[in-house]
């Protein structure tokens, strides 16, 4: 089994509560930070899913545009996972958790090797990144709806490894400026 991992950065939203698309926050700092976390955390390739805003992505990443981004996170989730279809592991992350660094990504990716499913938790609170082995991607995408990606798929499963990451980051997603 290959350990080829692709980071999928969900960054397509308009950021209506935030006041602007979060992919543009702080002159693109959040975008660069998230891509670096995925890359330095063990992802062989990074896919950035864009929608509401079109912006250049770091050289080590590729952009995927989802025209139906207004349907919510589920559309971005599906587009990103489709672009990562050759990966053994998809590491799904969000652009609005700027304190999540490569240590978190590395820990969650390593834990996923056991069952194919792992997610970061912060003080017991589920967060990102989430790692899905290829064998789980179709079911995860099928369960996605509206503003929810893998949440319903992961809920209640006993094979999702929760990786406590609060010693590295808060994992707080920033919805407001």
């Amino acid at each position: 089994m290959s350990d080829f991992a692709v980071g999928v950065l969900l960054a397509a939203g308009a950021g209506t509560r935030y006041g602007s698309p979060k992919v543009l926050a702080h002159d693109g700092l959040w975008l660069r930070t998230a891509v670096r976390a995925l890359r330095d955390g063990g992802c062989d390739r990074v896919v950035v899913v864009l929608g509401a805003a079109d912006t250049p992505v770091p050289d080590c990443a590729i952009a995927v545009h989802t025209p139906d981004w207004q349907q919510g996170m589920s559309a971005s989730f599906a587009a990103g996972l489709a672009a990562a279809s050759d990966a053994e592991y998809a590491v799904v992350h969000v652009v609005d958790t700027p304190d999540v660094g490569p240590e978190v990504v590395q820990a969650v990716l390593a834990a996923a090797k056991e069952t194919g499913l792992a997610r970061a938790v912060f003080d017991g609170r589920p967060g990102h990144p989430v790692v899905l082995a290829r064998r789980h991607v179709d079911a995860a995408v099928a369960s996605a709806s509206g503003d929810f990606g893998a949440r319903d798929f992961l809920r209640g499963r006993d094979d999702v490894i929760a990786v406590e990451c609060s010693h590295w980051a808060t994992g707080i997603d920033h919805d407001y400026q």
Side-chain angles (χ1 to χ4, degrees):
M1 178 192 306
S2 168
D3 286 343
F4 184 70
V6 174
V8 175
L9 182 62
L10 304 181
T16 51
R17 290 184 305 251
Y18 188 75
S20 67
K22 296 176 193 176
V23 70
L24 304 175
H26 302 278
D27 295 321
L29 178 63
W30 287 4
L31 168 63
R32 293 187 305 275
T33 300
V35 168
R36 190 174 327 113
L38 289 165
R39 189 69 180 177
D40 293 351
C43 295
D44 298 289
R45 187 172 73 234
V46 177
V47 171
V48 178
V49 183
L50 299 173
D54 191 17
T55 188
V57 299
D59 289 340
C60 64
I62 62 167
V64 171
H65 297 270
T66 181
D68 52 355
W69 63 267
Q70 291 176 311
Q71 294 178 11
M73 184 187 285
S74 60
S76 301
F77 181 69
L81 288 175
S85 63
D86 60 335
E88 185 60 34
Y89 296 96
V91 183
V92 181
H93 193 33
V94 291
V95 74
D96 61 352
T97 55
D99 74 336
V100 171
E103 310 84 6
V104 172
V105 174
Q106 187 175 34
V108 178
L109 185 56
K113 307 285 167 99
E114 187 176 328
T115 66
L117 294 170
R119 81 172 316 155
V121 296
F122 302 91
D123 288 327
R125 217 177 2 90
H128 287 90
V130 171
V131 179
L132 305 165
R134 181 183 309 157
R135 67 184 178 272
H136 296 294
V137 167
D138 290 343
V141 170
S143 76
S145 176
D147 275 331
F148 304 108
R151 184 170 82 171
D152 289 342
F153 172 74
L154 297 171
R155 184 177 286 148
R157 293 186 64 110
D158 62 3
D159 56 347
V160 179
I161 298 173
V163 182
E164 182 56 59
C165 297
S166 58
H167 50 287
W168 289 306
T170 65
I172 293 172
D173 60 357
H174 295 269
D175 285 334
Y176 302 95
Q177 285 194 36

